[in-house]
Amino acid sequence: METTLKSNAVNLSTSRTKQASNGWYANFISKLEFSYFGLIAMTITIGSILGGLSAMQILSHDAPIWQLGLVMAGAMANNVSAIGQAPTKWVVNLFTLSSLISILFILTNL
């Protein structure tokens, strides 16, 4: 009985140490898990708007078609991860990547 209590105490202290050493990104992800479905709604809405704006810019400036394909692939990956209820870390990472790609091509085709 006493050994079990000691092993549980050791496991508890090591899990606290791991949580403290994960850093700000892991803390950010764990805070976003609280409002997961709000996060999904936000990423779908904002990601689709940015993808549409960048597609409009690309098509209006007769840019190469690979730019449109790259932007749409990023926006679709964002939407698929959100609609498919992927883990929070995947949703946040794909949303960030999709947003960066879209903003890059919006600014490129101004």
Side-chain angles (χ1 to χ4, degrees), residues 38-103:
L39 174 72
I40 287 174
M42 181 195 70
T43 57
I44 289 172
T45 304
I46 295 173
S48 297
I49 289 171
L50 282 174
L53 288 174
S54 60
M56 179 187 67
Q57 284 295 105
I58 290 169
L59 290 173
S60 67
H61 289 113
D62 295 327
I65 197 71
W66 65 267
Q67 291 182 4
L68 181 66
L70 187 62
V71 166
M72 289 300 105
M76 285 177 25
N78 173 36
N79 288 342
V80 165
S81 70
I83 292 170
Q85 296 181 3
T88 308
K89 189 173 183 178
W90 281 62
V91 173
V92 170
N93 288 341
L94 285 171
F95 172 70
T96 305
L97 179 67
S98 170
S99 298
L100 289 175
I101 291 171
S102 295
I103 291 170

Side-chain angles (χ1 to χ4, degrees), residues 16-42:
R16 285 184 185 159
T17 308
K18 286 181 183 178
Q19 286 177 354
S21 66
N22 280 343
W24 67 271
Y25 185 70
N27 290 333
F28 177 67
I29 295 295
S30 66
K31 287 180 184 177
L32 287 177
E33 288 176 353
F34 174 73
S35 58
Y36 182 69
F37 292 105
L39 174 72
I40 287 174
M42 181 195 70

